[in-house]
Each structure stands twice: as structure tokens, then as C-alpha cells.
């Protein structure tokens, strides 16, 4: 699993004409799943994300109760080392990835996190205003 975490003053995700997820002063989380990921990896990465000291004053979302907007992002496993057309072969297929994305989200919620999400397999418009900017890539 790979997670790209960005501090944001606000972020939202829209599908069609409907805003389906929206946060203020929190973390935008783009989550990619690969073939050998497991629910245990999802839980560990959720813990690391929630406790990541990336917010002002070296605080974490857990410390401040900051919300998270989690968006499934298979393109985090894009490989463009050969040519200009990325390969997506390292990304898990949707049938494998979707339950693991949900396991990640549920693990965050079990820790007390306020979590908004995108919609799996939907064409999403993601808007964000980065703070800092601070961006960290976590991987298991």
C-alpha cells in the first residue's frame, strides 16, 4: 500500500454535481493498493497515517482530531520508467483494492478519526488547498 498524505486547509471530492466528501483543516489522503496488500497492512498504514506528525507544531490528526479525506488512487502504482505511457500492472485490480480501501477507512474510524471518502470506480473531481505545502509518502 502507498499513501500520499497532504496537509490541507480544505479539500473536497465531487462526483457528477454532488459533493460527496468535504473536510477543513485536515489531511487529504490518496491511497493506492497493490497485489500483496492485506487487511493487516491496511490497519497498520491507517495507524501510521493517523499518528503522522505532519500538522502544525508536529501534531498528528490523532492529536488534534483533524479530519481525513481518503481517495482511492490506483495511479500511485503507475510505472513510467519505460517510455511515456505508464503501466498500471502493480496496482491491484478493483475487486482486490476496494475491500482494502474500506478496511483502511474503517481502521481509521475505529481509532476515532473523522473520515470522508471518495467513491470507488467513479470519475471524481478532487479539489484541495494545500497548507505548507507538506506532503509525505507512506508505504508498507
Amino acid at each position: 500500500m502507498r499513501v500520499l498524505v497532504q496537509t490541507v486547509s480544505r479539500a473536497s471530492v465531487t462526483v457528477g454535481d454532488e459533493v460527496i466528501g468535504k473536510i477543513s483543516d485536515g489531511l487529504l489522503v490518496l491511497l493506492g493498493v497493490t497485489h500483496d496488500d492485506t487487511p493487516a497492512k491496511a490497519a497498520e498504514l491507517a495507524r501510521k497515517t493517523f499518528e503522522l506528525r505532519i500538522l502544525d507544531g508536529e501534531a498528528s490528526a490523532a492529536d488534534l482530531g483533524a479530519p481525513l479525506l481518503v481517495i482511492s488512487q490506483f495511479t500511485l502504482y503507475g510505472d513510467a520508467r519505460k517510455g511515456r505511457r505508464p503501466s498500471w500492472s502493480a496496482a491491484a485490480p478493483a475487486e482486490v483494492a476496494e475491500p482494502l480501501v474500506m478496511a483502511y477507512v474503517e481502521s481509521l474510524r475505529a481509532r476515532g478519526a473523522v473520515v470522508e471518502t471518495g467513491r470507488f470506480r467513479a470519475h471524481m473531481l478532487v479539489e484541495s488547498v494545500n497548507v505548507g505545502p507538506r506532503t509525505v509518502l507512506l508505504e508498507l
Side-chain angles (χ1 to χ4, degrees):
M1 291 188 121
R2 288 183 181 157
V3 174
L4 187 71
V5 181
Q6 297 180 316
T7 56
V8 296
S9 62
R10 66 181 180 272
S12 65
V13 59
T14 303
V15 174
D17 293 330
E18 177 187 3
V19 175
I20 62 168
K22 182 177 175 179
I23 63 166
S24 296
D25 299 320
L27 301 177
L28 173 60
V29 178
L30 305 177
L31 172 64
V33 178
T34 193
H35 302 282
D36 63 350
D37 287 333
T38 64
K41 283 185 179 181
E44 175 61 14
L45 198 54
R47 182 196 63 76
K48 287 183 89 160
T49 304
F50 196 45
E51 296 176 0
L52 182 66
R53 298 192 169 283
I54 191 174
L55 296 167
D56 290 342
E58 296 186 10
S60 68
D63 295 333
L64 302 178
L68 298 92
L69 175 59
V70 177
I71 307 291
S72 175
Q73 186 83 29
F74 78 91
T75 60
L76 287 176
Y77 278 100
D79 183 355
R81 289 179 289 183
K82 296 180 182 178
R84 297 173 293 153
R85 181 178 296 141
S87 166
W88 312 113
S89 62
E95 301 75 35
V96 172
E98 187 172 14
L100 292 171
V101 169
M102 294 313 302
Y104 176 87
V105 168
E106 290 308 316
S107 184
L108 284 169
R109 288 180 175 148
R111 294 181 167 281
V114 174
V115 182
E116 296 282 323
T117 65
R119 185 172 297 148
F120 205 86
R121 288 184 156 177
H123 180 76
M124 297 177 279
L125 299 177
V126 180
E127 296 183 80
S128 66
V129 177
N130 294 12
V131 174
R134 286 171 279 198
T135 302
V136 174
L137 179 65
L138 300 175
E139 196 165 12
L140 287 182

